Amino acid sequence: MSGITLNRRKIMLTAASAAAGLILPTGGMAFAQTASGASPLAQGGNVGHYRFRVGDISATVLSDGLIGGPPRIYASNAPETELEEVLRQAFLPTDRLTLNLNTLLIEANGRRILLEAGAGQTMGPQGGRIFANLAAIGLRPEDIDVVVISHTHPDHVGNLRTTDGGKAFPRAVVFAPRADWDFFVRNDPDLSYMPVPEDFRRNFAAAIRQSVEPVTNGIELYEAGEEIVTGLTTLPALGHTPGMANFLVQSGNDQLLLTADLAYHPIVNVDRSWLPGPDRDKDTALASRRRIFDMAAADRLLVLGFHYPFPGLGRMLKTDTGYAWVPVNWEF
């Protein structure tokens, strides 16, 4: 990173806390907008939704905005000079890597199913745009029937809670992986593996518990590998968290694979094989990444990366040294 060397790691990690936004200026946690409210950052600007189809299923990527932090957080084992050069070659800043929040709405069999709730503002002020983007396609939070979470990190559950502590999606049944619920919600999680300061970890854990509080009664817990509804199957993708799942959406011969946090950004975790720092078990996460990326490449699957540049859709190409990310062409 520009201006930051490895022997100044403490400074870098403090910067990570501020950049990721978990420690807000007020010292508190911000959550989803109220059901009828929209983030000020969602007013105007570029489109934050992208429609396409998976067979007979109507699908819409809904942006919840942006988060980010020092690139080292997301490429923990990258040589510093090489990391900076890779970012420069991709015309990206060397001091901050911006990550998108790409949730997916699928409409099938008369139900609207949201895959990932998004961050709200639990990880910075640029999240929480999903409600404005729902409104832009003519929907309200009350129109969502099911919300399925891949894992319980704040950027995937933050929008479950409104600013007044209520359910942001009042009619929705919420599904979450059982192993993550046990680790993060039912117990005091040991987050010492995260390459961030202790105060960041405390706020991270608190954001999870507070975000899911409104849905604790009635939560549906699943084991990765189960089918949630017809056409939506969960795939084990363990390592990033104890229970993280990927999602496979299928209709007829068409399939879409959602890879959650197997990789944060294709520049550092797909085109390069650098390891994400937030992975709890890096060896298991790496095995999951290789297994699922191999499947995506072999089957030429359409892939949605949760944190990839919006709308996050593309395909995995197997190369001699690993993988390459090939974004899809934008369709109007």
Side-chain angles (χ1 to χ4, degrees):
M1 282 170 284
S2 177
I4 300 177
T5 60
L6 290 176
N7 64 352
R8 296 173 64 189
R9 186 169 180 269
K10 181 177 180 181
I11 296 174
M12 181 197 73
L13 294 177
T14 303
S17 296
L22 273 171
I23 305 172
L24 301 177
T26 60
M29 289 290 172
F31 295 94
Q33 304 297 314
T34 58
S36 60
S39 166
L41 291 172
Q43 307 296 329
N46 294 316
V47 65
H49 58 87
Y50 183 80
R51 296 182 186 270
F52 62 106
R53 297 195 69 82
V54 182
D56 293 331
I57 295 175
S58 172
T60 308
V61 180
L62 295 168
S63 174
D64 191 49
L66 305 170
I67 59 172
R72 170 69 55 200
I73 298 297
Y74 312 110
S76 62
N77 62 332
E80 184 173 6
T81 56
E82 186 178 350
L83 175 58
E84 290 185 355
E85 182 60 20
V86 163
L87 294 170
R88 278 194 294 267
Q89 289 291 332
F91 301 97
L92 295 173
T94 59
D95 60 345
R96 179 176 174 83
L97 191 62
T98 295
L99 305 177
N100 282 254
L101 301 165
N102 300 318
T103 71
L104 183 73
L105 175 68
I106 59 175
E107 301 178 69
N109 301 316
R111 287 198 284 183
R112 296 187 178 98
I113 302 163
L114 184 65
L115 303 180
E116 311 287 23
Q121 294 183 5
T122 60
M123 296 189 70
Q126 290 184 291
R129 303 186 190 186
I130 190 174
F131 301 103
N133 287 317
L134 271 173
I137 62 171
L139 296 177
R140 304 168 301 164
E142 297 93 319
D143 296 322
I144 304 301
D145 300 297
V146 176
V147 180
V148 190
I149 305 300
S150 67
H151 64 292
T152 60
H153 279 178
D155 50 326
H156 296 255
V157 300
N159 277 323
L160 293 176
R161 177 188 177 115
T162 63
T163 52
D164 62 2
K167 292 178 64 175
F169 303 98
R171 292 183 49 256
V173 178
V174 178
F175 289 78
R178 183 181 302 277
D180 268 33
W181 196 264
D182 289 343
F183 182 77
F184 289 104
V185 181
R186 287 179 170 157
N187 295 289
D188 185 15
D190 178 3
L191 302 181
S192 59
Y193 63 90
M194 296 185 70
V196 292
E198 180 59 32
D199 53 356
F200 186 108
R201 297 172 191 156
R202 286 195 300 269
N203 282 288
F204 191 91
I208 294 171
R209 289 192 297 271
Q210 293 176 46
S211 295
V212 303
E213 190 176 53
V215 302
T216 298
N217 293 329
I219 190 77
E220 294 283 346
L221 301 178
Y222 68 85
E223 305 286 346
E226 294 180 5
E227 183 178 66
I228 301 296
V229 297
T230 301
L232 174 61
T233 302
T234 61
L235 304 175
L238 311 182
H240 182 63
T241 66
M244 190 177 83
N246 283 183
F247 303 131
L248 188 66
V249 179
Q250 182 166 358
S251 175
N253 294 324
D254 288 347
Q255 293 180 310
L256 169 69
L257 173 67
L258 287 76
T259 56
D261 284 9
L262 275 185
Y264 280 99
H265 196 291
I267 293 295
V268 298
N269 305 132
V270 180
D271 298 345
R272 300 298 189 284
S273 59
W274 293 325
L275 303 180
D279 286 350
R280 180 171 180 261
D281 182 335
K282 288 181 172 53
D283 290 339
T284 300
L286 178 60
S288 294
R289 193 174 303 116
R290 287 173 173 168
R291 171 174 49 84
I292 292 176
F293 284 5
D294 281 349
M295 178 186 73
D299 295 344
R300 302 178 65 87
L301 296 177
L302 181 63
V303 174
L304 174 60
F306 182 72
H307 288 301
Y308 295 7
F310 181 84
L313 293 165
R315 287 182 169 82
M316 295 287 176
L317 179 67
K318 192 72 181 287
T319 69
D320 291 340
T321 58
Y323 310 94
W325 175 250
V326 183
V328 299
N329 291 327
W330 187 281
E331 296 182 3
F332 291 93

